[in-house]
């Protein structure tokens, strides 16, 4: 099993794993005998611009760059729309293997006496001040800006800045440090020229033509003449309080380099290898495995030694006429399956948690097999949303079956809450965040039509499937318990500090969080710092470890509480592992203040609003794991002990 999981962890690094259908495109030189399906024109697409200092992404056209209005923009899937991706055609077009030097694209003119022009120029300055980044795409792969970092390493960023700012004190910010000529105080330097290098690989035996394996860019700034740009001279800058008419000419140079070492199937590797993740990821896995082994040893000791002795002693005492008074966990056998308080809410949470658990497992499994690679943009989110919609049936079934086992009779309320409570809270939070994005004019704002489509998926597919699952859940008989429940509840004795519910719940979430916090750092980096995440093999392995850790920690604490004659295990087991979400929330707050440079009220509200959604989903997911593990454990131990 471990070998299989380690193999799955390495699948993410495997060279040839891409979604079937993402076929390579062949390129040929213009004017030569054309091979069928061989292109000579290379089109460059532009995506939304984002920043590590702001949660608000913007469309390419929002900054008034050179744009292509004639071509139709490519269609986007649901995942791309939800993540705020807005891919558009650009006026940058190249002929394969036809280099060009200092080609003019367009010139944007601004008159500061004109309010619309002044607003555009101010927005461009704001973008440079907050270090907004371009994201360009060639042949479905990112155009990268590679530069040297510490220890002689080279980092390839799938984006490059629109410009940079030098403060009034003369201190260069962000990308301004790359050029000593950026020395004008209180000035914005705009990168109005790009040197693009296309690396290609000639296919010798399969077919004629070449395939693109890398697209690299170097942004530069030139004070070009408007009529005949020559890409020489000093950098282009504008003062913070610029007045009058101001022109920004945009130019590019293109060069082609043959690369015989990189094949098309492994063309993303140079980006992934520049990110120093792997060693830390293995450290994370080893750290998590140590915790799992420790917990497994504890649980095994309880199961094989203590519990085995308990059962043997209890069963032996039952055969003796003068049986001593019962003690320990056997003492509460008549109350251990007593329905919990607020059983309706618990069953609803468990139904939603089951839905999220299956969705996460299937999504990560597909990601491990390479079906959700970065080459297939938006596939991860699309897969997760579609799976969640289609998994309404298990949610309704689990909620109904457990609610019936708890002795509940308000089945209509149960099924309605299962279908609407947790999804409704998530959607309400999401809608409020979307209103803020609308107000800020961000590209991440979901269009009205997409919101209607999401609601249609929820009401027309997920809700009916939840009703069907609930129908079959209520139709089945309640879960049979191995021991009868007494009519009069037993009084729980005074508990010591460490067996009280709250300390146990707090302790229960520490170990599961310890297994995931390093992985969590990379996930938060990919979401908020716009770094590429492709370690799905590692993530799937950590997911399995998290499930095991949540289960074992909950079982361990459940046994201690039962031995202390506290039989209220249902809610406590859910909250014990679910408390991992609280640690996740605390870590997200720490990450915000220590790692991010996010500024502005809107960005701060958006960060914590989306974090609350993630914390709720994580709470339902981990809580359900703890409950079902504890339910299995309690059912198992009381089914093997003799009870009068």
């Amino acid at each position: 099993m471990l070998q299989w999981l380690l193999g799955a962890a390495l699948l993410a690094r495997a060279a040839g794993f891409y979604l079937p259908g993402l076929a390579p495109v062949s390129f040929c030189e213009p004017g030569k005998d054309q091979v069928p399906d061989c292109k000579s024109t290379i089109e460059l697409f532009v995506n939304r611009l984002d920043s590590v200092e702001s949660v608000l992404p913007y469309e390419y056209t929002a900054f008034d760059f050179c744009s292509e209005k004639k071509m139709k923009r490519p269609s986007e899937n649901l995942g791309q729309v939800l993540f705020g991706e807005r891919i558009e055609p650009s006026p940058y077009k190249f002929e394969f293997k036809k280099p060009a030097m200092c080609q003019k694209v367009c010139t944007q003119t601004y008159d500061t006496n004109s309010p619309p022009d002044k607003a555009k120029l101010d927005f461009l300055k704001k973008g440079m001040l907050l270090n907004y980044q371009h994201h360009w795409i060639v042949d479905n792969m990112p155009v990268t800006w590679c530069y040297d970092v510490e220890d002689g390493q080279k980092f390839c960023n799938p984006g490059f800045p629109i410009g940079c700012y030098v403060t009034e004190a003369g201190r260069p910010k962000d990308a301004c440090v790359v050029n000593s000529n950026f020395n004008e105080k209180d000035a914005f330097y705009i990168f109005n020229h790009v040197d693009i290098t296309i690396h290609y690989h000639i296919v010798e035996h399969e077919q004629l033509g070449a395939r693109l394996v890398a697209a690299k860019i170097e942004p530069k700034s030139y004070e070009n003449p408007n009529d005949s740009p020559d890409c020489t001279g000093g950098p282009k800058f504008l003062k913070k309080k610029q007045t009058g008419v101001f022109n920004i000419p945009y130019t590019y140079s293109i060069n082609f380099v043959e690369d015989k070492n990189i094949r098309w199937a492994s063309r993303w590797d140079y980006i992934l290898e520049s990110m120093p993740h792997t060693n830390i990821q293995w450290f994370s896995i080893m750290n998590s495995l140590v915790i799992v082994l420790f917990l497994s040893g504890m649980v095994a000791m309880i199961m094989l030694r203590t519990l085995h002795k308990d059962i043997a002693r209890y069963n032996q005492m039952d055969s003796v006429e003068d049986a001593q008074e019962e003690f320990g966990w056997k003492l509460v056998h008549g109350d251990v399956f007593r329905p919990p308080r607020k059983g309706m809410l618990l069953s609803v949470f468990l139904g939603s948690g089951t839905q999220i658990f299956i969705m996460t497992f299937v999504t990560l499994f597909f990601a491990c097999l390479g079906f959700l690679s970065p080459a297939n943009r938006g596939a991860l989110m699309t897969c997760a949303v579609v799976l969640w919609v289609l998994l309404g049936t298990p949610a309704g079934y689990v909620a109904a079956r457990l609610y019936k086992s708890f002795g509940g009779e308000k089945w209509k309320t149960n099924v309605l809450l299962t279908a609407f409570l947790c999804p409704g809270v998530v959607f309400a939070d999401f809608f409020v965040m979307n209103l803020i994005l609308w107000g800020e004019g961000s590209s991440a704002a979901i269009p009205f039509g997409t919101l209607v489509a999401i609601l249609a998926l929820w009401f027309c597919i997920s809700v009916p499937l939840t009703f069907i699952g609930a129908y079959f859940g209520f139709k089945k008989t309640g879960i049979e318990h191995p021991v009868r429940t007494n009519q009069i509840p037993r009084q729980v004795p005074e508990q010591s500090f460490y067996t009280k519910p709250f300390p146990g719940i707090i302790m229960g979430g520490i170990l599961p969080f310890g297994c995931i916090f390093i992985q969590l750092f990379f996930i938060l980096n990919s979401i908020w710092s716009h770094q590429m995440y492709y370690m799905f093999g590692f993530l799937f392995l950590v997911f399995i470890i998290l499930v095991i850790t949540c289960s074992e920690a909950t079982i361990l604490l459940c046994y201690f509480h039962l031995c202390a004659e506290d039989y209220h295990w249902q809610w406590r087991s859910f909250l014990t592992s679910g408390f991992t979400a609280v640690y996740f929330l605390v870590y997200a707050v720490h990450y915000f203040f220590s790692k991010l440079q996010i500024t502005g009220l809107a960005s701060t509200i958006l960060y914590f609003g989306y974090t609350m959604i993630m914390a709720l989903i994580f709470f339902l997911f981990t809580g359900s794991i703890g409950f079902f593990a504890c339910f299995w454990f309690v059912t198992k131990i009381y089914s093997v002990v003799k009870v009068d």
Side-chain angles (χ1 to χ4, degrees):
M1 179 65 179
L2 182 61
Q3 289 178 338
W4 183 87
L5 288 172
L6 291 174
L10 294 171
L11 280 178
R13 305 291 295 171
F17 275 88
Y18 287 95
L19 183 68
L22 289 175
V25 178
S26 296
F27 290 90
C28 301
E29 292 183 61
K32 291 194 174 183
D33 294 334
Q34 293 294 303
V35 179
D37 300 324
C38 192
K39 294 183 177 181
S40 60
T41 302
I42 300 173
E43 295 180 17
L44 188 148
F45 290 90
V46 292
N47 204 343
R48 56 104 184 260
L49 285 85
D50 53 35
S51 166
V52 294
E53 297 181 34
S54 173
V55 178
L56 301 165
Y58 289 100
E59 290 192 38
Y60 178 82
T61 52
F63 290 94
D64 197 40
F65 297 123
C66 303
S67 59
E68 177 64 66
K69 295 182 174 63
K70 297 177 184 177
M71 288 182 63
K72 185 181 177 183
R73 64 189 296 169
S75 58
E76 291 149 347
N77 58 42
L78 180 61
Q80 288 176 290
V81 175
L82 291 175
F83 271 128
E85 290 197 18
R86 300 291 183 269
I87 299 175
E88 302 175 23
S90 80
Y92 296 86
K93 291 181 178 59
F94 326 113
E95 296 296 322
F96 181 66
K97 291 182 74 173
K98 187 177 179 182
M101 291 296 294
C102 203
Q103 295 293 306
K104 182 179 177 181
V105 183
C106 75
T107 300
Q108 301 293 72
T109 303
Y110 303 94
D111 185 354
T112 56
N113 296 318
S114 167
D117 283 4
K118 188 176 184 306
K120 290 177 183 177
L121 202 58
D122 288 344
F123 193 69
L124 187 62
K125 291 177 187 175
K126 179 186 174 184
M128 288 187 274
L129 190 64
L130 293 175
N131 194 28
Y132 269 83
Q133 306 266 321
H134 283 286
H135 293 282
W136 290 3
I137 302 165
V138 167
D139 191 29
N140 200 39
M141 62 180 174
V143 179
T144 57
W145 179 35
C146 297
Y147 50 88
D148 293 325
V149 291
E150 55 191 17
D151 300 329
Q153 299 288 322
K154 188 175 282 291
F155 178 73
C156 290
N157 184 9
F160 65 95
I162 63 177
C164 57
Y165 175 61
V166 177
T167 65
E168 294 179 5
R171 185 176 65 85
K173 284 186 65 182
D174 303 317
C176 278
V177 299
V178 301
N179 193 331
S180 59
N181 292 326
F182 294 170
N183 50 24
E184 184 74 24
K185 294 181 180 179
D186 196 25
F188 293 93
Y189 288 85
I190 184 161
F191 292 124
N192 60 336
H193 175 84
V194 287
D195 285 338
I196 303 171
T197 305
I198 303 288
H199 296 254
Y200 63 92
H201 173 86
I202 294 179
V203 184
E204 298 175 357
H205 304 294
E206 298 175 31
Q207 62 181 51
L208 296 173
R211 293 173 181 172
L212 308 188
V213 294
K216 298 180 181 179
I217 200 165
E218 189 175 349
K220 294 180 178 178
S221 180
Y222 292 121
E223 182 71 60
N224 280 318
N226 294 331
D227 300 328
S228 55
D230 54 6
C231 299
T232 58
K236 183 77 173 177
F237 67 88
L238 62 153
K239 300 293 285 184
K240 199 167 189 179
K241 297 178 181 177
Q242 186 89 23
T243 56
V245 178
F246 188 78
N247 296 318
I248 303 178
Y250 289 93
T251 56
Y252 74 90
S253 298
I254 179 80
N255 190 30
F256 292 87
V257 176
E258 183 180 356
D259 196 323
K260 297 181 179 179
N261 298 321
I262 303 175
R263 301 189 66 82
W264 184 88
S266 57
R267 63 181 185 164
W268 287 74
D269 283 7
Y270 82 97
I271 306 173
L272 303 173
E273 287 167 2
S274 74
M275 299 177 182
H277 283 179
T278 312
N279 292 336
I280 302 174
Q281 296 276 2
W282 280 116
F283 170 75
S284 167
I285 299 295
M286 295 310 297
N287 169 61
S288 303
L289 282 173
V290 167
I291 294 174
V292 167
L293 290 172
F294 167 73
L295 274 174
S296 300
M298 292 285 289
V299 172
M301 189 172 68
I302 287 172
M303 293 285 198
L304 299 177
R305 297 191 59 183
T306 313
L307 202 56
H308 184 72
K309 285 181 180 177
D310 286 349
I311 292 167
R313 187 162 66 249
Y314 290 154
N315 290 340
Q316 187 179 10
M317 284 167 54
D318 285 337
S319 64
V320 178
E321 293 181 5
D322 299 326
Q324 301 175 20
E325 187 181 351
E326 293 178 349
F327 59 92
W329 54 267
K330 187 187 176 185
L331 197 59
V332 294
H333 67 81
D335 297 276
V336 74
F337 292 106
R338 190 175 299 284
R341 302 187 195 95
K342 307 289 184 185
M344 170 85 78
L345 186 62
L346 180 59
S347 64
V348 169
F349 282 174
L350 290 168
S352 296
T354 304
Q355 187 178 13
I356 293 164
F357 175 83
I358 301 172
M359 175 197 78
T360 308
F361 179 83
V362 176
T363 302
L364 288 179
F365 184 73
F366 279 143
C368 274
L369 296 178
F371 283 88
L372 308 178
S373 74
N376 191 22
R377 301 171 193 281
L380 186 72
M381 179 59 87
T382 305
C383 178
V385 171
V386 170
L387 279 172
W388 179 85
V389 167
L390 297 177
L391 288 168
T393 304
Y397 179 83
V398 169
R401 190 86 196 278
L402 286 170
Y403 181 62
K404 189 172 184 180
S405 300
F406 293 158
E409 296 177 353
K410 298 178 181 177
W411 62 272
K412 292 180 182 176
T413 308
N414 179 264
V415 68
L416 287 171
L417 285 175
T418 306
F420 294 108
L421 178 62
C422 295
V425 170
V426 171
F427 184 81
D429 188 329
F430 179 75
F431 185 74
V432 171
M433 297 303 106
N434 206 50
L435 287 177
I436 296 172
L437 291 166
W438 267 336
E440 295 289 332
S442 172
S443 71
I446 308 301
F448 181 74
T450 307
L451 272 180
V452 173
I454 292 170
L455 286 172
L457 287 172
W458 180 15
F459 285 101
C460 300
I461 300 176
S462 180
V463 171
L465 288 175
T466 306
F467 281 25
I468 291 169
Y471 169 76
F472 285 107
F474 278 113
K475 199 174 179 184
K476 292 204 74 169
T477 56
I479 300 170
E480 290 188 13
H481 303 306
V483 289
R484 292 193 303 271
T485 302
N486 295 337
Q487 290 185 348
I488 302 171
R490 180 185 180 84
Q491 187 172 356
V492 177
E494 184 68 28
Q495 299 291 306
S496 59
F497 175 76
Y498 69 91
T499 57
K500 286 182 179 178
F502 196 61
I505 289 169
I506 292 174
M507 288 188 294
I510 292 174
L511 289 173
F513 178 75
C515 291
I516 63 162
F517 80 95
I518 296 176
Q519 196 71 223
L520 194 60
F521 172 76
F522 292 113
I523 293 171
L524 292 176
N525 267 354
S526 70
I527 297 172
W528 303 115
S529 296
H530 313 296
Q531 294 184 13
M532 195 171 292
Y533 189 89
Y534 194 33
M535 297 291 184
F536 293 117
F538 284 111
L539 189 58
F540 187 72
L541 190 56
V542 170
F543 169 82
I544 300 296
I545 291 171
L546 176 65
V547 172
I548 296 169
T549 312
C550 283
S551 304
E552 292 182 340
T554 311
I555 288 172
L556 203 61
L557 289 164
C558 182
Y559 174 77
F560 292 148
H561 286 110
L562 288 176
C563 287
E565 301 176 21
D566 184 354
Y567 53 85
H568 299 297
W569 61 270
Q570 290 99 333
W571 268 110
R572 191 170 54 236
S573 63
F574 184 87
L575 295 173
T576 297
S577 53
F579 205 80
T580 311
V582 176
Y583 290 108
F584 164 78
L585 202 57
V586 172
Y587 182 78
V589 173
H590 164 74
Y591 179 84
F592 178 82
F593 288 108
S594 65
K595 303 293 181 184
L596 298 180
Q597 301 97 40
I598 287 176
T599 56
L601 180 62
S603 291
T604 304
I605 294 172
L606 286 166
Y607 175 85
F608 286 105
Y610 286 128
T611 299
M612 291 304 294
I613 292 177
M614 290 188 282
L616 174 62
I617 292 171
F618 198 63
F619 170 71
L620 296 170
F621 164 70
T622 51
S624 300
I625 295 169
F627 175 87
F628 287 114
C630 201
F631 182 78
W632 170 83
F633 173 73
V634 171
T635 305
K636 198 75 175 171
I637 64 172
Y638 283 100
S639 64
V640 295
V641 68
K642 294 178 183 176
V643 176
D644 291 334

